Amino acid sequence: MQTIFEKSVLGRSQYQLPVAIAAEIELGEGMTRSMLDLPEVSELDIVRHYTALSQRSFGVDTGFYPLGSCTMKYNPRINEAMAGLKEFAQFHPWQDDADSQGTLELIYRTQEYLTEVTGFPGLTLEPAAGAHGELTAVMMMKAYHLDRNDTQRRKMLIPDSAHGTNPATAAMCGFDTVEVPSDAQGGVDLEKLKAVLDEKTVGMMLTIPNTLGLFDRNILEISKLLHEKGALLYMDGANLNAILGAVKPAKMGVDVMHINLHKTFSTPHGGGGPGGGFVGCVSSLVPYLPAQRIVKDGDSFRLDFSAPKSIGRVRAFYSNFGVIVRAYTYMLRLGKEGTKRIGRYAVLNANYIKARLKDFYNIPFQQHCMHEVVFNDEKQTQYHITTMDIAKRLIDFGYHPPTIYFPLIVHGSLMVEPTETESKETLDEFIDAMMKIAEEAKVTPELLQRAPHSAAVKRVDSVKAARNPVVVCNTCCT
Amino acid sequence: MPYIPHTKRDTEEMLKAIGINQIEDLFEAVPSDLLEMNEFNLPAGFSEQETRQHVSGIAAKNWTAEASFLGGGFYHHYIPEHVTNLGTRSEFFTAYTPYQPEISQGILQAIFEYQTMIVRLTGLDATNASMYDGSSATGETCLMAANITDRKKILVARSVHPQYREVMRTYCNGKGLIMEEVPFDMSSGQVDAAALGSSLTEEIAGIFVQSPNFFGVVENMKELSDMAHEKGAVSVQIITEALSLGILTPPGKNNVDIAVGEGQSFGIPVSGGGPSFGFLACVEKYIRKLPGRIVGETVDEDGKKAYVLTLQAREQHIRREKASSNICTNQTLFAIRALIYLATLGKKLRDLALLNHSHSLAFQKMLSEKGLRRVFSKPFFNEFVVDGCDTLLLQKLKEQRIAGGLPLKRFYPELKNSLLVCVTEMITKDDMEKYLREFLFIKEAPLRSA
């Protein structure tokens, strides 16, 4: 498909500005640009072009999207309508507190809900995404230790099953990362943990449940071991959807965690963002939370900046406020009954898929999974079929492929996360497709190897893209 | 139950297929005293209708201006209806990162087009697929500058948005970088070039200057960039009013190495400060130091043009602790919206930028004639600082449903009676006249009472 630049025709632009009431300028010679190489297209051209691009994309609204670790649940439309309310959409972030009561109250109420479901007394909604929440949390851990004159702690422990953001975040805070191997059951290897844990340990970054979709049955032992050495436990909340309403993270000995509002709390993923990255913490870490806090005085709300030990600010203004409105709207819809069911039904759905596909695909870990199930291609290797082939063939059946080749510790992993918003019928159809593909792997493996057959393009050449990067369109519009 | 479609029968059949009696059996790995069996201390779930009433009630507690002269990093601009309409197409907003290129060509192409727009506007060579916002993107750029130069000190102009400087400081503290502020000239409103020159040693990784700066004043980026390069530092231009790119000399032409900023002006509502998106563009030689996702053009197996996420060897999911950043989720949805906005305005973006400039200049002169003095002498883009304002004026304007501007005392004690006033295309002649009327009313009040 042509780019918008290739569709440009000189003189075509129809855009009309309001009538100018003044024309004087004071921008002198050398301060202004002579050329603006932007396209000229009609409004209808634009509508058709971007409608076409949207149709060459796949969202939760298009079909089942079992992308593991991403919690692609339904994005309720009422969330969008509430974020679009005039008083929110036109709310300028520099309005003073008296003129911002609606915004402040909404953030405050969202925090109250999150305190109840996580058990954390301290919290911030300032981070703009999950990785941003991680960064905030690790900075808080750093500030906590430094404030106690505990300057020798430089080691961050990270399980080998962790998301790449964990080691990257630790590095952004100047820490050295130490990888902790998993044991045969897929949990943290306690003996290996004890071997590397010492007084130089900042803490541990643990995804709960982990990226294998498993709840580590030694969680209380892990947090106890860390605390005995003065280290902190950070919970990567990317997988919170598994335990929302079932386990309060604070009770596990977690000191600080992040939550992705765009996963657990139904805000849309937007083709890659925006997100929302709430951070919650125990009381001993409260002083280090970002400085901008919302305080309730009687019936009114105000911003408070009197936190001398705070790590500072991680994002301007009220962060992704529109995302917070969406999450709060969802929380209201859930209420106490709905909240309690989220994790339970997400886990039920994943285990149903696991149970019905266990004879067709290898499952490296037998324990009941949580919200996602990890398969791999071990049963298909004999037919020269890889996880990549299975994933691409799923596209032909109308599905978005699961997460593939992650976690790294499972060879050829295929990670399926259905979420609680999918019905049994949807899961059954997906299971049928997966069974059919397992059969095709035996009988007509070339069908898989050359898949997808129905997509806009065949498999793309990533090597060529990286070797000779073409990152902008060269068609001139002048 | 909202959003959980299981009937009782579904649940029973599923439990049976798994071979268990109740859902809680699936949580057998959870220590038993951790499993929550009781009700949460939360209200019962609302119907959609009740939800709408409740949230609308909270929203109504925000004061809403009919005319807003507030800028300072987020701007009220007109948003064409089809931009909102296309930007909320659910194939875009319910998708995630285009990891599977075959079924994501639409989003990938949109990001590729967005990258092209940003590169053309900034006059630089490469950009990523967006950042969270301008402030955090600037924080990331501190790390990028340190990474490029292998140096540990950042120089930042005090005329940079105060909250951006706070975010930069947080990122610098995290990584162990030192951030030093450079004063601005009280008469021109530009960064004090002499002071910058004396702080600019061979220890400096990068200079960070906002242009137009927080006072709306345009900086001499070329001169400052050349000073930075002489000492081996990178020159970073921060831009919070992206519309200025429509008329001002682009960063690339001023020898700037990295342009970073906020894209909200391109078709995105102010919404309390987000979600919008940050942009980050650089010269060719630093492309492999960029944080975040980048889309590249390639071909498929049949040799057909295709797009794919590329240069991923910089990113956290491949490089882990050696990655250029931990960023993963970005703000693609709003980068796409900005793309559609820019495609709509096209070359007329320049006219819109000029209109903003002319209208703000005209209003500044109107205020000046009546006695509100312009504080800084150098040219500004669409916002300016006036002196002689008091809280009574803002209060009176508020009664007329006008947000009169941003008092600067909070951030700059030396500017204690100063107000940052922004004029975009949303401000009508009538709004300006109303503003003047209120000002004159206050100014003449003592005379009336005498």
Side-chain angles (χ1 to χ4, degrees):
Chain A
M1 213 179 116
Q2 283 189 319
T3 63
I4 196 75
F5 304 97
E6 290 158 315
K7 290 179 179 174
S8 174
V9 176
L10 215 55
R12 172 67 47 84
S13 175
Q14 304 163 309
Y15 193 75
Q16 198 177 349
L17 299 176
V19 176
I21 55 167
E24 194 188 342
I25 66 167
E26 65 165 13
L27 301 168
E29 194 85 6
M31 290 178 74
T32 59
R33 68 192 303 158
S34 52
M35 191 193 63
L36 198 55
D37 189 7
L38 298 189
E40 293 196 52
V41 278
S42 72
E43 187 174 319
L44 178 57
D45 289 340
I46 289 170
V47 171
R48 289 214 175 117
H49 182 75
Y50 292 104
T51 299
L53 288 190
S54 76
Q55 288 166 340
R56 288 158 72 96
S57 305
F58 192 103
V60 174
D61 284 10
T62 319
F64 184 46
Y65 206 129
L67 190 68
S69 216
C70 297
T71 313
M72 303 301 291
K73 64 172 73 175
Y74 170 60
N75 307 130
R77 292 309 186 273
I78 185 69
N79 297 358
E80 301 305 308
M82 295 301 94
L85 288 171
K86 182 182 167 201
E87 297 90 340
F88 285 148
Q90 293 185 21
F91 168 69
H92 194 285
W94 280 133
Q95 288 181 204
D96 57 29
D97 290 357
D99 297 340
S100 311
Q101 288 298 301
T103 292
L104 295 173
E105 179 174 338
L106 187 127
I107 297 174
Y108 189 87
R109 284 173 175 267
T110 307
Q111 291 182 350
E112 281 185 323
Y113 174 95
L114 289 168
T115 288
E116 173 61 17
V117 299
T118 62
F120 289 115
L123 60 182
T124 178
L125 284 160
E126 194 167 293
H132 203 212
E134 267 185 61
L135 183 65
T136 305
V138 175
M139 283 173 173
M140 287 165 60
M141 292 163 78
K142 182 173 183 169
Y144 166 86
H145 288 308
L146 289 180
D147 193 33
R148 298 154 65 93
N149 283 321
D150 200 348
T151 54
Q152 55 168 355
R153 294 183 188 267
R154 314 220 11 106
K155 236 172 39 177
M156 185 65 89
L157 310 186
I158 299 173
D160 56 4
S161 58
H163 293 117
T165 51
N166 294 170
T169 301
M172 283 175 87
C173 294
F175 294 137
D176 304 321
T177 57
V178 176
E179 196 168 273
V180 182
S182 302
D183 64 15
Q185 287 74 46
V188 173
D189 187 322
L190 287 182
E191 291 314 309
K192 301 255 168 66
L193 171 63
K194 286 177 195 161
V196 292
L197 177 60
D198 57 20
E199 274 77 20
K200 290 186 176 160
T201 304
V202 177
M204 185 167 195
M205 300 180 78
L206 197 59
T207 306
I208 307 173
N210 68 22
T211 61
L212 297 164
L214 304 176
F215 190 94
D216 198 318
R217 59 180 74 246
N218 297 320
I219 183 61
L220 294 175
E221 177 71 8
I222 294 168
S223 55
K224 188 167 145 254
L225 287 170
L226 287 163
H227 293 154
E228 278 169 6
K229 298 285 183 190
L232 299 170
L233 176 58
Y234 160 76
M235 170 173 162
D236 181 320
N239 292 343
L240 179 72
N241 206 54
I243 57 170
L244 184 71
V247 181
K248 286 189 181 182
K251 287 192 184 169
M252 297 188 284
V254 172
D255 297 294
V256 56
M257 78 173 295
H258 92 264
I259 294 176
N260 307 72
L261 296 180
H262 52 292
K263 294 180 182 176
T264 313
F265 292 99
S266 84
T267 73
H269 286 64
F278 157 84
V279 168
C281 67
V282 293
S283 55
S284 57
L285 283 165
V286 167
Y288 315 103
L289 278 164
Q292 176 172 296
R293 314 215 177 145
I294 297 173
V295 178
K296 189 176 181 189
D297 278 339
D299 287 336
S300 69
F301 300 85
R302 63 179 170 82
L303 288 178
D304 185 278
F305 298 93
S306 58
K309 292 179 175 180
S310 160
I311 58 162
R313 182 185 279 283
V314 295
R315 166 75 164 79
F317 300 127
Y318 296 96
S319 195
N320 281 347
F321 173 66
V323 174
I324 300 170
V325 176
R326 287 170 175 88
Y328 179 66
T329 303
Y330 175 71
M331 292 165 184
L332 285 177
R333 293 284 280 125
L334 292 183
K336 59 180 171 189
E337 315 88 345
T339 298
K340 204 176 156 188
R341 283 173 172 78
I342 297 298
R344 285 170 168 83
Y345 281 84
V347 169
L348 176 69
N349 275 1
N351 278 283
Y352 179 67
I353 292 174
K354 175 171 178 262
R356 292 209 46 211
L357 287 177
K358 68 177 189 298
D359 296 333
F360 299 83
Y361 295 92
N362 182 54
I363 298 171
F365 298 96
Q366 296 313 311
Q367 176 184 328
H368 285 312
C369 67
M370 300 302 282
H371 66 308
E372 60 196 4
V373 50
V374 174
F375 299 100
N376 73 358
D377 53 10
E378 205 177 289
K379 284 188 203 275
Q380 284 73 34
T381 310
Q382 54 183 314
Y383 313 114
H384 306 286
I385 290 299
T386 64
T387 287
M388 182 67 83
D389 302 325
I390 298 164
K392 299 300 184 194
R393 184 64 180 144
L394 272 168
I395 293 172
D396 291 331
F397 284 86
Y399 297 108
H400 191 284
T403 293
I404 53 174
Y405 300 106
F406 184 83
L408 306 174
I409 59 168
V410 173
H411 182 80
S413 59
L414 185 98
M415 185 206 265
V416 177
E417 180 184 5
T419 86
E420 75 286 355
T421 61
E422 300 295 340
S423 67
K424 180 171 175 292
E425 287 80 1
T426 301
L427 303 184
D428 284 336
E429 286 164 17
F430 173 74
I431 288 162
D432 288 346
M434 286 291 283
M435 289 175 176
K436 182 105 193 293
I437 291 170
E439 179 63 17
E440 287 176 353
K442 290 182 204 165
V443 186
T444 50
E446 64 285 356
L447 204 55
L448 274 68
Q449 285 151 352
R450 302 198 51 214
H453 303 274
S454 60
V457 294
K458 294 283 179 61
R459 291 194 200 180
V460 305
D461 188 346
S462 307
V463 176
K464 177 183 154 74
R467 193 170 292 155
N468 178 26
V470 178
V471 297
V472 292
C473 175
N474 291 322
T475 304
C476 201
C477 306
T478 51
Chain B
M1 194 54 53
Y3 317 133
I4 301 178
H6 301 62
T7 64
K8 195 159 173 276
R9 189 170 154 194
D10 290 338
T11 306
E12 283 164 9
E13 285 177 10
M14 292 167 82
L15 290 171
K16 201 172 151 205
I18 300 167
I20 53 171
N21 297 321
Q22 53 172 354
I23 295 179
E24 280 74 15
D25 294 349
L26 297 169
F27 289 81
E28 58 83 26
V30 176
S32 56
D33 47 339
L34 289 185
L35 193 64
E36 297 288 335
M37 297 303 288
N38 298 328
E39 289 291 330
F40 284 83
N41 183 21
L42 296 169
F46 285 1
S47 66
E48 184 177 311
Q49 186 183 341
E50 291 160 327
T51 301
R52 184 185 289 273
Q53 286 162 352
H54 172 93
V55 178
S56 301
I58 296 176
K61 295 177 187 173
N62 273 348
W63 179 76
T64 306
E66 276 168 15
S68 174
F69 291 81
L70 283 170
F74 259 59
Y75 303 89
H76 295 282
H77 288 293
Y78 183 73
I79 304 171
E81 198 55 40
H82 71 276
V83 172
T84 308
N85 188 275
L86 291 166
T88 49
R89 278 190 70 90
S90 78
E91 298 91 333
F92 288 142
F93 89 74
T94 71
Y96 198 28
T97 306
Y99 290 125
Q100 295 287 337
E102 298 83 1
I103 46 168
S104 311
Q105 284 300 302
I107 284 178
L108 287 163
Q109 181 174 330
I111 296 172
F112 183 79
E113 292 183 3
Y114 159 81
Q115 289 172 182
T116 306
M117 291 284 189
I118 295 296
V119 161
R120 290 182 186 192
L121 284 172
T122 57
L124 292 162
D125 304 313
T127 181
N128 63 17
S130 77
M131 305 290 285
Y132 308 135
D133 80 312
S135 69
S136 59
T138 306
E140 289 265 5
T141 306
C142 293
L143 311 189
M144 186 177 165
N147 185 7
I148 288 168
T149 56
D150 205 15
R151 297 177 181 182
K152 285 188 162 304
K153 258 176 127 171
I154 300 293
L155 278 189
V156 57
R158 215 169 140 250
S159 46
V160 167
H161 191 296
Q163 293 193 341
Y164 279 47
R165 280 181 284 132
E166 288 179 48
V167 173
M168 290 170 73
R169 194 172 289 284
T170 307
Y171 275 75
C172 285
N173 284 344
K175 188 70 182 176
L177 306 178
I178 297 155
M179 182 177 121
E180 196 183 310
E181 295 194 351
V182 179
F184 57 87
D185 184 282
M186 270 301 278
S187 106
S188 71
Q190 291 176 326
V191 63
D192 182 335
L196 181 86
S198 58
S199 300
L200 191 48
T201 65
E202 273 158 15
E203 287 186 305
I204 302 298
I207 63 161
F208 286 67
V209 178
Q210 180 179 328
S211 180
N213 66 24
F214 192 63
F215 311 126
V217 174
V218 182
E219 298 275 4
N220 293 323
M221 286 312 300
K222 187 159 189 302
E223 178 196 341
L224 302 172
S225 296
D226 293 345
M227 284 168 71
H229 292 154
E230 222 166 89
K231 300 289 181 183
V234 294
S235 168
V236 181
Q237 180 177 347
I238 301 168
I239 299 155
T240 66
E241 172 48 299
L243 179 62
S244 66
L245 288 165
I247 182 64
L248 298 179
T249 306
K253 275 257 194 295
N254 281 332
N255 301 342
V256 166
D257 301 296
I258 303 173
V260 58
E262 172 59 55
Q264 175 269 330
S265 288
F266 295 150
I268 300 163
V270 287
S271 185
S276 55
F277 73 99
F279 60 86
L280 175 49
C282 67
V283 289
E284 180 81 37
K285 62 182 168 181
Y286 301 141
I287 184 171
R288 285 170 204 274
K289 303 284 184 187
L290 277 173
R293 297 181 183 124
I294 299 174
V295 170
E297 188 184 308
T298 184
V299 292
D300 75 354
E301 281 174 349
D302 296 342
K304 195 170 147 191
K305 185 168 87 173
Y307 302 95
V308 67
L309 293 174
T310 194
L311 300 174
Q312 296 192 69
R314 302 163 295 109
E315 289 188 72
Q316 47 78 25
H317 61 287
I318 308 285
R319 290 279 276 176
R320 301 179 80 82
E321 69 277 6
K322 293 191 179 64
S324 56
S325 165
N326 73 344
I327 192 168
C328 182
T329 289
N330 53 31
Q331 307 272 139
T332 296
L333 187 64
F334 293 94
I336 293 177
R337 199 187 279 223
L339 162 68
I340 300 169
Y341 177 86
L342 289 168
T344 299
L345 269 84
K347 294 182 181 62
K348 296 212 171 138
L349 190 75
R350 190 186 147 95
D351 301 340
L352 180 63
L354 268 176
L355 185 141
N356 270 250
H357 173 67
S358 296
H359 284 199
S360 58
L361 184 63
F363 187 54
Q364 181 267 312
K365 289 191 168 169
M366 286 160 80
L367 289 175
S368 178
E369 274 169 25
K370 306 294 178 201
L372 268 178
R373 187 181 66 87
R374 171 172 169 177
V375 173
F376 299 119
S377 61
K378 287 289 178 182
F380 59 82
F381 173 59
N382 70 353
E383 51 192 333
F384 54 88
V385 179
V386 291
D387 191 38
C389 157
D390 59 17
T391 48
L392 185 62
L393 172 63
L394 292 177
Q395 190 53 44
K396 284 282 166 201
L397 288 169
K398 198 168 137 183
E399 286 164 18
Q400 299 296 315
R401 302 208 76 79
I402 293 174
L406 176 66
L408 293 177
K409 184 173 70 177
R410 216 174 115 185
F411 320 107
Y412 303 97
E414 67 271 43
L415 297 173
K416 69 175 187 315
N417 290 318
S418 296
L419 193 66
L420 180 65
V421 179
C422 177
V423 179
T424 71
E425 75 280 9
M426 302 299 277
I427 296 295
T428 63
K429 196 166 180 221
D430 195 38
D431 299 330
M432 293 183 191
E433 282 163 1
K434 260 194 201 165
Y435 196 120
L436 277 178
R437 259 201 314 274
E438 291 306 317
F439 174 64
L440 287 176
F441 181 82
I442 290 167
K443 200 178 152 196
E444 285 155 14
L447 301 175
R448 274 198 304 278
S449 59

